[in-house]
Amino acid sequence: MKWLAVVAAPVLALVVAFFAATRAAPLPAPPPLAATGLPSASPPAGMTVVQLPTGVTHRSAGFAYRGGSFTDARDFAMTATLVQHPRGDILIDTGFGRTIDAQVQLMPWFFRMATSWERLVPAAERLAAAGYDRTRL
């Protein structure tokens, strides 16, 4: 029975150290923006910004970002952003694609155990359904 205490004590110490090192540590709020002379936004005529939601991940903040709490459940939107501009369009962060299930299987086991996800319609399929000409990208 002594061997159990010898093994359990270091394991318990590691677990305590892990949770102490990863406890929530929010950053202080920044001061109000005091910059002057910022240019006003003047997008060209015909410019639009479109959100294309592709899914949602569910996990604790502790697995999502540094300083997040393991007891703080969060939902994270996976959203592509299409910027339509007269000189050409830009698709930013395509979110979840058609192969998200296979991609998740390549993630470390602890990520898979701590995360679930909902797949929506991939950006490529949303664009195709809307008749969007992808040669503009």
Side-chain angles (χ1 to χ4, degrees):
M1 231 14 154
K2 234 181 193 181
W3 65 270
L4 183 61
V6 170
V7 171
V11 170
L12 181 60
L14 284 172
V15 168
V16 168
F18 173 77
F19 282 104
T22 58
R23 73 179 181 274
L27 297 172
L33 180 64
T36 57
L38 293 175
S40 60
S42 55
M47 181 177 162
T48 60
V49 178
V50 181
Q51 293 180 328
L52 305 167
T54 61
V56 179
T57 59
H58 312 284
R59 65 181 114 166
S60 77
F63 279 111
Y65 57 89
R66 184 176 181 168
S69 170
F70 286 99
T71 60
D72 183 7
R74 295 284 179 106
D75 294 334
F76 296 90
M78 302 293 123
T79 303
T81 302
L82 175 65
V83 179
Q84 295 178 296
H85 192 278
R87 292 179 21 199
D89 298 348
I90 301 171
L91 183 61
I92 303 169
D93 189 355
T94 59
F96 284 168
R98 294 180 186 118
T99 61
I100 187 60
D101 296 323
Q103 291 172 353
V104 168
Q105 292 308 310
L106 298 174
M107 298 291 188
W109 66 269
F110 56 86
F111 176 88
R112 294 191 313 266
M113 297 300 292
T115 305
S116 64
W117 66 96
E118 294 174 49
R119 182 182 24 192
L120 301 176
V121 179
E125 292 175 21
R126 287 183 180 273
L127 294 173
Y132 179 79
D133 177 10
R134 290 196 286 178
T135 62
R136 287 194 43 85
L137 292 176

